[in-house]
Amino acid sequence: MDPHWLSPGDTSWQLTAATLVGLMSVPGLVVLYGGVMQKRWSVNSMMMAFIAFALVLVVWVLYGFKAGFGEPVHIFGAKHGFFANLIGKPGSILSSVGLREQGNIPNIGKVVFPQSTLAYFQIVFAAITPILMLGSVLGRINFKAWIPFVILWTSLIYTVNAFLIWGGGFFAQHGALDFSGGYVIHLAAGVSGFVAAAVVGPRLQRDREVDAPNNLAMVAVGAGLLWLGWNGFNGGDPYLVNDIASAAVLNTNLCTAVAFLVWVGWDYATGNKPSLIGSVNGMITGLVAITPSAGFVNGWGAMIIGVVSATIVYFALNYLSRTALFRNVDDTLGVVYTHGFAGLAGGLLVGVFANSAMGAEPGLISSGGAHLLGWQALTALWVIVFCAVGTFILLKLVALFVPLRMEERDMEQGDLAVHGHEVYPSDVPSLAFPSGTGDRTPAPPPTPLAEPS
């Protein structure tokens, strides 16, 4: 018999929403990365996304969930203030009691589904964050270094931000709002990815000069999975099947559609042809920008956020990227723009458009004054500084044991050097490669036909 507190409907939606978010990573980002990179980096890009998803899942159930959503650890013995509410006490949820007990979020209270459901929902959010960050360093980061880095970053950076903003920590206690991860996920991924790209160094010059996707159909499929999967991303965060969940889903799609259209409009206005890759950037910008406010704003606010965020990111990606700071850092997929800039813009716009009729503290437009906007800015500053410094330190720590950058000769080969096979192996004997093996050993010559007697 189900416990009295369990709501079958809410539990079903939460598991469904979590699965939608999971599909954004595998296969969504896996397919998108596999298509947008050059042919020889396709397998490597997909493999690093897959392994990050698996690593975070294990970390989360062993200790990550409790660190992000458990009882606070009083750092330095502090009972109040920042260090008393920095991170939760790590611990496993794998016991029978841990899996079946009622879920609880300190900042919200008891929820109407089991802790296992809540943990799974949070797993897929934690897992997508390093996968988004990965987009900054594709095409040169060492696969062996990526593994410990993901574990360390999730354990020491993601869990801290999650607790501070979502899990009842310092910023949550002071009213900072991040509905589904504009700061915890996107701003963090954008900043950390940019720092990682700077530390690891650029791709080969020829990869930067001929940066052509190998399969635009894969890009379109991956992008479509992101767009529709985002219904779970934002629709699951009220932790109930209610009116706010419905509004969050509609706002998500509305803002994204507007941002997509504005991006195409700016392409025409600046004399450029609207490309699929560019339009996907516009789509992602809208999805990211609405994430921190999806359940806090009305439809008009969602549309304005789409216009503002798409405009900011369009000009940042196309013009700010030419300045010395950004030009000298090879952010492969421009994650700092579509996730960093968009997450920052969306988080700050919460302080402008948050609507009291949606159950949120009112922002500037709702005559709420600048209190909320001030805490949104302070929270953003924390995420930027903490992620930048923390990522730099963790990368240097990993580099003491494993080279961060692939060797030049391996970068020339790509997938074959790292994984032993490629995304489109040749099965044509005339090309001298055995069918389906990816082996570069020349095939034996064909047996000559017998001469007629």
Side-chain angles (χ1 to χ4, degrees), residues 65-212:
F65 174 69
K66 288 290 188 179
F69 295 90
E71 294 300 317
V73 175
H74 300 305
I75 307 293
F76 306 129
K79 300 296 183 182
H80 305 285
F82 184 80
F83 287 106
N85 297 280
L86 178 65
I87 192 170
K89 183 179 180 181
S92 169
I93 62 166
L94 294 176
S95 69
S96 298
V97 173
L99 291 174
R100 297 187 64 192
E101 68 179 327
Q102 185 175 6
N104 179 65
I105 301 175
N107 194 40
I108 296 174
K110 297 285 187 179
V111 292
V112 293
F113 41 81
Q115 183 169 245
S116 53
T117 301
L118 177 60
Y120 176 55
F121 183 73
Q122 292 300 335
I123 279 170
V124 290
F125 280 79
I128 201 172
T129 311
I131 298 176
L132 293 173
M133 186 199 320
L134 171 64
S136 295
V137 290
L138 289 172
R140 77 277 204 182
I141 192 168
N142 185 356
F143 187 76
K144 293 178 181 178
W146 176 242
I147 294 172
F149 175 72
V150 167
I151 295 172
L152 290 170
W153 194 91
T154 302
S155 303
L156 300 175
I157 295 181
Y158 183 86
T159 55
V160 171
N161 286 332
F163 186 82
L164 282 169
I165 300 172
W166 285 341
F170 181 78
F171 292 114
Q173 291 176 5
H174 286 83
L177 298 176
D178 187 2
F179 190 74
S180 286
Y183 285 169
V184 176
I185 295 173
H186 300 290
L187 180 57
V191 171
S192 295
F194 188 76
V195 170
V199 173
V200 176
R203 290 168 289 168
L204 294 178
Q205 186 61 31
R206 67 187 178 102
D207 284 342
R208 300 184 71 178
E209 292 173 352
V210 186
D211 192 9

Side-chain angles (χ1 to χ4, degrees), residues 38-76:
Q38 294 100 325
K39 173 185 171 182
R40 76 178 195 285
W41 289 115
S42 185
V43 172
N44 181 250
S45 303
M46 294 188 286
M47 274 290 292
M48 286 198 289
F50 267 119
I51 202 165
F53 192 87
L55 289 167
V56 174
L57 196 152
V58 174
V59 165
W60 205 247
V61 298
L62 290 179
Y63 57 85
F65 174 69
K66 288 290 188 179
F69 295 90
E71 294 300 317
V73 175
H74 300 305
I75 307 293
F76 306 129

